[in-house]
Amino acid sequence: MQNKIKKITKRVVIIFLPILIIASILFVIVNRGFYFSDFKDSFVVEVLTSDNSLQDEFIQNFQRRDDLARVDGNKLYFQNSDLGEVSLEAELNTRENLEYNIYTEIANNREVLINNVILTIFILVVAVLSVFYLYSAESKKFNLKEYLNVFSPFFIASLTYLITSIGLLSIISRLRYIQEWDFLPIILSQIIFTVLFVISFRKIERDEALTFEIFSARLYRSLRLYLVQILIISILTVLTFSVAFGAGVFFISLIFIFSILLFSTIIFWVSTIRIGYPKFRVRVKELKVKRVVSREKGEGSIKDTSVKESAKKKKKPSKKKKNKKKKS
Amino acid sequence: MIFSKTKLILALLFILIFTLLALPRITFQINDQTYVIPEFSIFPQDQARIGNFKKGMDVFNSVEATARLDFGTQGLDDSQKFEVLKQTIERVQNRLTQVGMHDVDLRGEFGDDEYRLIFNYPEYYQQIPAITNLLTRKGEITFVNSQATTEIDFKDSDINSNIEVGYLPGLQSHIRFTFPESKSLEIQQALVDRFFLMSIDGTPEVQIFQYDQNDLTNFTLRGLPNTPESIGDIAFRDTYINILRTYFNEDAPLEFSMSVDESLSIIPPSVNELSVRFIALFSIMMFVALTIVTLIKYKFKGGIFFLLASATYLSLTITLLKYISAPLSLVSVLTYLVLTGVTSILIWRMIEVDNNEEMKFVLKKIRHIGVIIVVISLFTLRFIPDLGRTFEIFATFLIFGLSYLLLGLINFKVLIENLILNYKNNAK
């Protein structure tokens, strides 16, 4: 009984502890990390004079300040700065006939930010549960350990994707103003990633010769194919938008999401190597041998053209080998 | 075989009907005469819409409204005023969330001893000053008799937990209060003049009465707002009632009143380059490119299947989005495009099907995905508050989930059987 409780606790810890750790890391990043963003209060200097040249001159005087978060028309937004200092500089920069207004803007989307992070973690948990459900519904051959083995590359890739994307946003926030909708591509990609994982199950349960290694290898091979397709679609989209708009905000966002996808795909590739791809090759060789033997005996009706081809290749030695033989 | 052909014809009819419903109304002029095709539409049409969709955020202009906090003669210092402003923002944001106005942005501003709440509405909102006024009221509710001379003590009647939006053909949208039998005496006393009034911040605005005999036996009261905007505009009346309901959920009214500016500012979209024409052209280009890729990859029959399957889900999802009056915003457009890409991959997977068994397996997977998406979306929309613009992502997801579920059951199966499996069997 004690052993059982120990086992269950171990399993729960394996699944939920990483989620908890990641959630807390994300929470810290979200709360502390964004330098210039929609989620922070700002001091706003609004130029009221309609004279464009005066406006431009006034705005240009502030451009060198490193606390200038963004310029939106006739409004300058400052973050991480002192109101007194900004007011003083505005006063010094003001010509006689220029009017301006200074006020503080209180951001109200902090909840949105935190909820978005909760949501991405929720999506990950749903992925864990739904894939577990699909495993148990489709095949009774695999135990929890094997399931965790199959799931771990996806889990690692998802978490890496989530942390790196939010971490990258945090770094980018020092150079560029982060808005609420900059999070949307991250959430969308997370969802796509999950959906791809679920749709990667292909006619697995009916193959009698199927083992856990082959199952996982097939699963990840089909998932990689889907990822390649998604990457191609992303490249096409980025190219189209770059032709249409040049380097706009939208373009930057797409580039960002594309690079994240690429990165997570690489991580995914690397982590799947751990799970059975080499084993898969070994198993496929074993299967081929079994099939050849059974055909020679006249058993079964498995059509495997690759086996035939490989058999033909074995029968016909290459010209180089023949020449070597002659020389000897 | 004949049965299979009938099913195919039914599937094609399904596609045709939904394609017709999904098409936008086109208006053009020949010799000073304006033609509209199609002439009828089952979806609402007005200035705030474009092709039956609401004009959403980031693609169209938005409208900014300002409400100013009035501290009166109370001598609060700056830090206390700042605290009041923060609390007010929180309260008003709660009201917005409860009413479901997720696409309205709210922020606070203070400077020169002025403390303001700034609302940013998408262009499709009508009666913006009136809505802002309702959202920023203190929310102090009292009940008075029909002449508004005597206060009626009705608040102890558990009224807070029994308030709903009702609909009757004669009254249209109204507030409905349902009480247990034990409260019959209070109801009788309140209705001594056949009706009484509900005041908001001291102004009588809602007339409360019993409509018919059923109300009498069910201990039900109905309230009809009598402000000029809610009498003339039924859509506004719904908003009015929904905001009014939020006052009942609050522990105490707001401490300070606010005044709303009558003048509104128009704010240009944040993504200026993204026009509706570009979105439409981009979507068509994407669709044509994907069809050509499919024709090359899967030959003619595969291409036809892709075309028909895409037409099915595109027309169904667009019709459903029109039906729920979804806003055409940057977020919803982006989500729609992404999901179109994912669905194309699913359709390619369907083309690769070799036999009946595999078809069943693939369709089962699509239905599973549909169920998962629907469950995630419903859970998120229902239980995670303050989603901001992420709300629109999940609304679009919900529509796609529903269409996967529906099409996985009916249309995709017929199309695979007739266009993919028949062809592959004949080739064998």
Side-chain angles (χ1 to χ4, degrees):
Chain A
M1 187 67 189
Q2 256 191 342
N3 274 344
K4 216 175 181 184
I5 293 168
K6 244 185 179 179
K7 245 184 181 178
I8 292 166
T9 324
K10 207 176 164 185
R11 283 169 189 179
V12 169
V13 166
I14 287 169
I15 296 172
F16 290 103
L17 197 68
I19 297 174
L20 258 174
I21 294 166
I22 297 307
S24 38
I25 293 171
L26 288 176
F27 193 79
V28 172
I29 292 175
V30 165
N31 265 306
R32 307 245 169 227
F34 293 105
Y35 197 74
F36 290 139
S37 75
D38 246 358
F39 311 101
K40 276 180 143 174
D41 296 352
S42 330
F43 298 127
V44 185
V45 180
E46 186 181 4
V47 188
L48 301 171
T49 312
S50 54
D51 187 332
N52 280 341
S53 59
L54 273 177
Q55 244 188 49
D56 291 344
E57 194 186 327
F58 183 81
I59 291 169
Q60 263 177 10
N61 284 329
F62 281 99
Q63 292 285 6
R64 63 185 166 73
R65 281 188 71 102
D66 52 9
D67 56 353
L68 179 66
R70 71 177 172 125
V71 181
D72 182 13
N74 61 337
K75 288 179 185 171
L76 295 135
Y77 292 81
F78 295 90
Q79 285 182 342
N80 319 304
S81 50
D82 178 40
L83 180 62
E85 212 181 287
V86 175
S87 314
L88 187 69
E89 183 144 358
E91 220 169 277
L92 290 170
N93 287 335
T94 312
R95 291 246 205 120
E96 272 176 22
N97 42 359
L98 189 127
E99 282 179 43
Y100 67 91
N101 189 10
I102 296 187
Y103 55 85
T104 309
E105 194 179 282
I106 304 168
N108 180 45
N109 40 12
R110 192 150 201 83
E111 289 292 312
V112 172
L113 178 62
I114 291 165
N115 282 340
N116 276 346
V117 174
I118 293 171
L119 193 67
T120 42
I121 293 162
F122 166 69
I123 291 165
L124 201 60
V125 174
V126 169
V128 174
L129 295 177
S130 57
V131 171
F132 188 69
Y133 157 72
L134 286 173
Y135 265 81
S136 52
E138 298 301 344
S139 176
K140 283 159 191 155
K141 289 173 201 164
F142 308 116
N143 57 32
L144 188 66
K145 195 185 165 191
E146 286 176 330
Y147 159 74
L148 284 176
N149 263 337
V150 168
F151 196 75
S152 58
F154 168 78
F155 194 69
I156 293 163
S158 290
L159 287 183
T160 319
Y161 166 75
L162 204 62
I163 296 174
T164 40
S165 49
I166 295 182
L168 258 175
L169 260 189
S170 167
I171 295 163
I172 290 171
S173 72
R174 289 198 165 255
L175 310 165
R176 187 177 146 246
Y177 191 81
I178 300 297
Q179 287 175 297
E180 191 185 313
W181 63 272
D182 280 314
F183 277 81
L184 300 178
I186 299 172
I187 295 169
L188 276 176
S189 313
Q190 180 80 359
I191 294 167
I192 292 169
F193 213 32
T194 311
V195 170
L196 282 181
F197 189 73
V198 177
I199 63 173
S200 297
F201 291 78
R202 308 177 70 170
K203 53 176 179 180
I204 290 158
E205 83 280 22
R206 284 183 305 281
D207 197 336
E208 281 177 14
L210 189 73
T211 60
F212 165 68
E213 285 82 16
I214 295 179
F215 170 80
S216 54
R218 275 190 191 172
L219 176 72
Y220 282 108
R221 197 173 51 176
S222 67
L223 184 51
R224 279 173 219 183
L225 281 174
Y226 285 128
L227 273 171
V228 170
Q229 286 170 358
I230 282 282
L231 278 175
I232 291 167
I233 291 173
S234 304
I235 293 167
L236 286 174
T237 318
V238 168
L239 284 176
T240 317
F241 273 95
S242 60
V243 169
F245 306 134
V249 188
F250 209 73
F251 172 63
I252 291 169
S253 176
L254 282 168
I255 285 282
F256 172 74
I257 187 67
F258 168 69
S259 54
I260 294 293
L261 251 174
L262 190 69
F263 179 70
S264 57
T265 314
I266 293 165
I267 292 286
F268 189 71
W269 238 269
V270 173
S271 54
T272 47
I273 287 168
R274 197 186 71 81
I275 188 148
Y277 205 70
K279 285 180 189 171
F280 171 64
R281 281 184 188 156
V282 174
R283 287 294 301 151
V284 167
K285 272 183 188 170
E286 281 173 21
L287 258 183
K288 278 177 186 171
V289 173
K290 269 186 190 173
R291 282 171 181 171
V292 171
V293 170
S294 64
R295 204 179 299 155
E296 279 169 1
K297 285 180 180 174
E299 291 168 0
S301 58
I302 304 163
K303 287 178 184 175
D304 195 337
T305 47
S306 62
V307 176
K308 275 184 190 173
E309 280 164 14
S310 61
K312 278 178 189 174
K313 277 176 189 172
K314 276 179 186 174
K315 279 177 186 173
K316 289 180 183 176
S318 64
K319 283 182 180 176
K320 279 183 183 176
K321 279 184 181 175
K322 278 183 183 175
N323 291 337
K324 274 183 184 175
K325 277 181 183 175
K326 276 180 185 176
K327 278 176 187 175
S328 64
Chain B
M1 192 66 186
I2 297 165
F3 186 57
S4 166
K5 287 279 176 252
T6 320
K7 279 204 281 188
L8 180 65
I9 291 165
L10 281 175
L12 294 175
L13 252 172
F14 181 90
I15 298 169
L16 187 72
I17 291 166
F18 278 97
T19 309
L20 284 175
L21 286 172
L23 282 175
R25 287 181 98 192
I26 301 165
T27 312
F28 58 94
Q29 274 193 325
I30 300 173
N31 296 336
D32 298 334
Q33 200 167 355
T34 310
Y35 296 91
V36 180
I37 295 174
E39 278 185 7
F40 69 96
S41 174
I42 60 164
F43 303 104
Q45 301 278 324
D46 56 53
Q47 284 294 309
R49 286 166 204 269
I50 180 150
N52 305 117
F53 288 103
K54 286 175 183 169
K55 290 181 179 175
M57 281 294 216
D58 300 322
V59 180
F60 301 95
N61 289 334
S62 57
V63 183
E64 213 168 73
T66 309
R68 289 164 211 277
L69 263 165
D70 182 9
F71 291 104
T73 50
Q74 288 203 35
L76 298 181
D77 60 32
D78 283 353
S79 64
Q80 283 171 319
K81 284 178 181 174
F82 176 70
E83 266 316 301
V84 171
L85 177 64
K86 278 190 114 172
Q87 281 165 11
T88 313
I89 292 171
E90 203 176 306
R91 181 76 72 85
V92 175
Q93 183 61 54
N94 270 340
R95 288 177 180 177
L96 280 167
T97 309
Q98 282 182 56
V99 177
M101 293 161 78
H102 301 277
D103 45 6
V104 177
D105 286 343
L106 172 67
R107 62 178 199 273
E109 279 180 9
F110 68 92
D112 290 339
D113 207 30
E114 230 188 31
Y115 292 77
R116 306 178 283 267
L117 264 73
I118 311 290
F119 294 81
N120 200 13
Y121 294 90
E123 207 180 334
Y124 71 84
Y125 274 91
Q126 312 272 301
Q127 311 248 32
I128 288 173
I131 292 174
T132 313
N133 185 38
L134 272 172
L135 285 166
T136 52
R137 294 179 86 165
K138 288 164 86 175
E140 197 172 10
I141 290 172
T142 46
F143 296 93
V144 287
N145 69 350
S146 55
Q147 279 82 44
T149 48
T150 326
E151 194 168 319
I152 299 171
D153 188 16
F154 204 67
K155 283 215 92 176
D156 294 333
S157 304
D158 286 340
I159 200 163
N160 299 17
S161 55
N162 296 302
I163 180 164
E164 290 166 358
V165 182
Y167 186 86
L168 283 174
L171 290 177
Q172 294 185 312
S173 298
H174 61 272
I175 313 162
R176 192 176 67 203
F177 307 96
T178 322
F179 296 97
E181 199 177 340
S182 56
K183 301 291 171 192
S184 60
L185 193 67
E186 277 107 317
I187 296 172
Q188 273 178 19
Q189 281 171 352
L191 287 170
V192 74
D193 297 333
R194 294 178 67 97
F195 74 93
F196 61 99
L197 299 166
M198 181 161 75
S199 297
I200 300 157
D201 298 353
T203 317
E205 285 189 16
V206 182
Q207 200 172 342
I208 298 173
F209 51 88
Q210 282 184 322
Y211 186 64
D212 52 18
Q213 199 60 34
N214 284 340
D215 287 357
L216 209 68
T217 48
N218 296 334
F219 310 102
T220 302
L221 291 175
R222 296 179 196 274
L224 211 55
N226 55 17
T227 58
E229 297 96 345
S230 54
I231 291 169
D233 186 344
I234 298 297
F236 176 76
R237 195 194 291 176
D238 281 341
T239 314
Y240 180 100
I241 295 169
N242 281 322
I243 297 174
L244 188 71
R245 286 170 68 196
T246 65
Y247 303 157
F248 283 93
N249 295 335
E250 290 169 359
D251 295 335
L254 282 167
E255 207 177 334
F256 296 95
S257 60
M258 277 176 270
S259 58
V260 177
D261 289 3
E262 277 302 313
S263 62
L264 303 167
S265 338
I266 306 290
I267 311 293
S270 56
V271 188
N272 286 319
E273 304 96 329
L274 203 69
S275 68
V276 178
R277 191 172 296 169
F278 177 79
I279 293 169
L281 272 174
F282 181 75
S283 313
I284 292 166
M285 270 166 53
M286 232 176 105
F287 182 64
V288 172
L290 287 172
T291 312
I292 292 170
V293 168
T294 316
L295 273 167
I296 295 166
K297 201 174 164 190
Y298 298 105
K299 307 284 175 334
F300 182 71
K301 283 264 177 177
I304 294 293
F305 173 79
F306 181 83
L307 207 69
L308 286 175
S310 302
T312 319
Y313 86 83
L314 284 173
S315 58
L316 182 66
T317 47
I318 291 174
T319 310
L320 287 174
L321 284 169
K322 273 180 170 185
Y323 182 74
I324 61 163
S325 295
L328 194 67
S329 64
L330 176 68
V331 175
S332 54
V333 169
L334 204 64
T335 314
Y336 195 88
L337 288 176
V338 167
L339 285 175
T340 307
V342 172
T343 317
S344 300
I345 293 171
L346 283 175
I347 294 173
W348 286 338
R349 175 74 191 91
M350 284 184 231
I351 300 173
E352 286 168 8
V353 160
D354 282 326
N355 51 46
N356 225 18
E357 282 253 298
E358 200 185 341
M359 177 189 77
K360 279 181 190 166
F361 181 75
V362 170
L363 289 176
K364 199 167 93 180
K365 283 286 160 284
I366 288 169
R367 290 197 298 272
H368 277 157
I369 293 166
V371 171
I372 291 169
I373 289 177
V374 167
V375 170
I376 294 178
S377 310
L378 282 177
F379 179 89
T380 311
L381 295 172
R382 180 72 186 83
F383 296 109
I384 302 186
D386 293 342
L387 280 169
R389 292 176 198 184
T390 322
F391 188 87
E392 287 166 29
I393 289 189
F394 285 93
T396 318
F397 259 87
L398 181 64
I399 298 297
F400 266 83
L402 283 173
S403 74
Y404 288 165
L405 199 61
L406 189 68
L407 298 176
L409 279 170
I410 324 165
N411 257 44
F412 286 153
K413 190 182 171 198
V414 180
L415 291 176
I416 295 173
E417 275 174 353
N418 284 281
L419 290 165
I420 305 294
L421 291 182
N422 271 357
Y423 177 69
K424 283 186 180 172
N425 289 338
N426 289 339
K428 279 178 188 173

